[in-house]
Amino acid sequence: MQTLIGKNICEAKRFLEQGDVIAVPTETVYGLAANANIESAVRKIFEIKNRPFTNPVILHFHNQAQMTPYINEIPKTLKALADAFWPGPFTLLLEKTEIVSNKITAVNARVAVRIPSNPTFLELLKTLDYPLAAPSANPYGKISPTSAQHVFDYFDTKIPFILDGGRCHTGIESTIVGLEQDKVVIYRYGTISPEQIKNIIGYWPIVQNLSINKVPEASGMVLHHYAPDTPCYVFKAQDHTDWNPHYGYILFGKHAPTLEESENIVYLSNTQNENEAAARLYEIMHSFDQKKFAKIFIELLPDSGIGLAINDKILRASAKYKA
Ligand code: TXA
Ligand code: MG
């Protein structure tokens, strides 16, 4: 199968109507999408990604009205969050109705829903009368793609079409939130931070983000170690003296004495901006993999705001390579 990269919404739609899986751009990461109402198409996503059926997928919609047949009424607190953060890098776990297939939720009573903000993806969703089921467009266990080229490198010949919507500006996956005993819970850190959520609901949300040292509790919240192919280690740049040209170094920001950026030393953000750091993290991991360094060393961010989400990704990437 030839994999085409294009910007044509009608072409993307044609593939979806016939039950094919295509890649779609979102502001967070690219997704592997299928018509959520065709079970055989949804099944194909899992096969292409080599993802276990026990790991449920997110439904993507154009607006909240389009969600009505698929979910029970949104609780007031979550509605306030939805109104504040959609379209955007934010996913809600809501009680599903009967029409949502168990393939999508992995037999969970809740379904994950999201309205993305990438204009190309939104334009596509607007032309459809069904939601798109879409996990991130990476083979199971690999780093998520933030460009059409990343998707092509992973899935050339495996899917017919990649809808090119440019590079992903948010750069890491959406924040996942739900309600338990009337309290808001964060299940996955993202660029919508606990503080932003607190500003809407009036209290600090409970965090059940699956840390890399914890055993998964809720179904669907399986622990994954998304990682570059190159062995990856967390390090403290400030104490480091032995800069090896065969290793790649990813630093959050400038250090004193200032190290010049080079082929193997890269800053996530020259101005220590967390949003910029999130947007560049996966891109740099992908490029360091291609440069075939022997090892990658990454510096953690301060553990607050979006730093929580970025650190979570860094710890997962390095989890299987403990020194
Ligand atoms: O930013 C994003 O959320 C991207 C883009 C493509 O939208 N999608 C994404 O999907 O990251 P995925 O499948 O790679 O991660 C979704 C996470 C998984 O950990 C899954 O277990 C959890 O959401 N999840 C999905 N549906 C769920 C459900 N019904 N109950 C519990 N967890 C769920
Ligand atoms: Mg994923």
Side-chain angles (χ1 to χ4, degrees):
M1 180 194 303
Q2 198 192 352
T3 302
L4 302 169
I5 302 181
K7 296 191 168 154
N8 191 320
I9 303 284
C10 297
E11 200 172 2
K13 182 175 175 179
R14 205 163 48 240
F15 285 115
L16 293 167
E17 308 274 88
Q18 65 194 42
D20 281 331
V21 171
I22 64 165
V24 292
T26 92
E27 74 280 26
T28 59
V29 299
Y30 274 72
L32 270 189
N35 179 337
N37 295 339
I38 305 179
E39 193 157 306
S40 60
V42 173
R43 183 189 296 270
K44 268 192 228 167
I45 300 176
F46 288 85
E47 288 164 1
I48 293 168
K49 265 186 76 97
N50 194 21
R51 174 177 172 127
F53 286 107
T54 48
N55 195 357
V57 293
I58 299 173
L59 293 188
H60 297 74
F61 295 84
H62 174 249
N63 57 29
Q64 290 191 42
Q66 203 195 6
M67 288 179 189
T68 311
Y70 300 88
I71 53 166
N72 290 332
E73 204 182 342
I74 310 186
K76 232 168 117 190
T77 328
L78 296 187
K79 176 86 170 88
L81 292 172
D83 291 341
F85 302 127
W86 279 341
F90 185 71
T91 295
L92 281 179
L93 287 186
L94 298 171
E95 265 179 50
K96 80 176 195 77
T97 60
E98 262 176 28
I99 66 164
V100 179
S101 127
N102 279 327
K103 273 269 157 327
I104 285 163
T105 60
V107 200
N108 230 303
R110 291 188 294 182
V111 60
V113 296
R114 164 160 125 80
I115 302 174
S117 68
N118 177 286
T120 310
F121 191 23
L122 268 184
E123 205 183 318
L124 170 65
L125 287 167
K126 198 174 179 176
T127 69
L128 309 176
D129 53 9
Y130 47 83
L132 291 181
S136 51
N138 49 310
Y140 193 62
K142 303 269 185 190
I143 328 161
S144 296
T146 53
S147 69
Q149 186 62 43
H150 292 157
V151 182
F152 187 84
D153 293 344
Y154 280 144
F155 294 115
D156 180 23
T157 73
K158 304 282 193 308
I159 54 174
F161 190 69
I162 298 168
L163 181 62
D164 188 353
R167 90 180 248 285
C168 304
H169 293 297
T170 301
I172 59 175
E173 294 87 342
S174 60
T175 306
I176 302 182
V177 162
L179 211 56
E180 283 186 35
Q181 273 130 33
D182 280 337
K183 287 275 183 278
V184 171
V185 179
I186 296 179
Y187 297 101
R188 178 173 73 183
Y189 284 129
T191 57
I192 302 292
S193 67
E195 186 161 16
Q196 278 175 286
I197 291 169
K198 173 183 164 255
N199 289 343
I200 304 288
I201 62 177
Y203 61 90
W204 283 100
I206 297 162
V207 176
Q208 275 189 27
N209 181 65
L210 208 58
S211 96
I212 51 154
N213 300 316
K214 273 198 222 147
V215 177
E217 285 159 30
S219 155
M221 293 300 146
V222 187
L223 188 54
H224 303 300
H225 296 164
Y226 301 108
D229 293 330
T230 315
C232 211
Y233 304 88
V234 169
F235 85 129
K236 283 207 171 72
Q238 225 131 20
D239 312 336
H240 203 77
T241 48
D242 177 24
W243 302 91
N244 185 324
H246 302 295
Y247 297 167
Y249 299 93
I250 305 175
L251 313 184
F252 175 39
K254 293 271 185 197
H255 283 271
T258 309
L259 271 167
E260 283 308 312
E261 245 191 326
S262 63
E263 185 70 7
N264 72 322
I265 301 176
V266 169
Y267 294 104
L268 287 173
S269 167
N270 281 330
T271 55
Q272 306 222 340
N273 176 311
E274 292 175 339
N275 280 299
E276 190 187 7
R280 296 194 64 208
L281 178 69
Y282 290 159
E283 194 179 295
I284 293 171
M285 283 181 173
H286 278 284
S287 81
F288 272 23
D289 254 353
Q290 277 169 357
K291 288 179 182 165
K292 304 270 182 238
F293 292 121
K295 293 177 180 181
I296 297 173
F297 288 89
I298 314 188
E299 180 178 50
L300 291 172
L301 275 68
D303 232 343
S304 63
I306 299 170
L308 292 165
I310 297 172
N311 288 348
D312 184 61
K313 307 301 173 199
I314 294 174
L315 290 170
R316 280 166 205 272
S318 58
K320 65 180 179 191
Y321 299 112
K322 284 259 151 38

